[in-house]
Amino acid sequence: MNTKVHQVLGKDRINSICDSFLLTEEDKKMVDVILENWENLIGNPIKKMAIAMEITKDVGVSTTKKIIFAITEISFQFLEMQIKNK
């Protein structure tokens, strides 16, 4: 993945966050796809959530929640890194 989030946090940190939410390798792939789809949607949270829900529609509520929580944590850590680097 070559998103800004992947560049700033790195694949290892993103994987670590996903692991903390007990995501499987398949779940992690969905996280990557969501992050890739979100790349150009800054300021459009409704569209972001619609994309996340579409990508996770077949995995069940529990897994969807874990993926959303992981992406939220990834987003917060990305934001923190962006603020620190300014």
Side-chain angles (χ1 to χ4, degrees):
M1 294 285 125
N2 196 30
T3 69
K4 182 76 171 172
V5 174
H6 285 87
Q7 291 170 7
V8 170
L9 290 182
K11 186 68 175 168
D12 289 342
R13 184 65 194 129
I14 291 171
N15 274 332
S16 176
I17 293 167
C18 289
D19 289 343
S20 74
F21 288 95
L22 306 175
L23 297 181
T24 67
E25 290 304 313
E26 196 63 35
D27 299 338
K28 291 176 187 180
K29 289 178 187 174
M30 283 187 267
V31 167
D32 285 336
V33 170
I34 291 167
L35 291 172
E36 186 176 306
N37 278 276
W38 283 14
E39 182 74 5
N40 297 311
L41 293 176
I42 295 171
N44 198 340
I46 293 172
K47 179 78 172 170
K48 284 182 170 185
M49 291 314 302
I51 288 170
M53 297 310 289
E54 177 63 26
I55 290 169
T56 61
K57 70 181 178 190
D58 295 326
V59 297
V61 173
S62 177
T63 301
T64 296
K65 285 181 182 179
K66 291 191 299 185
I67 290 170
I68 297 301
F69 289 147
I71 288 180
T72 301
E73 180 62 26
I74 291 165
S75 297
F76 280 132
Q77 289 193 25
F78 171 74
L79 179 60
E80 285 178 346
M81 292 296 291
Q82 291 294 93
I83 291 169
K84 285 180 185 178
N85 292 330
K86 284 194 172 190

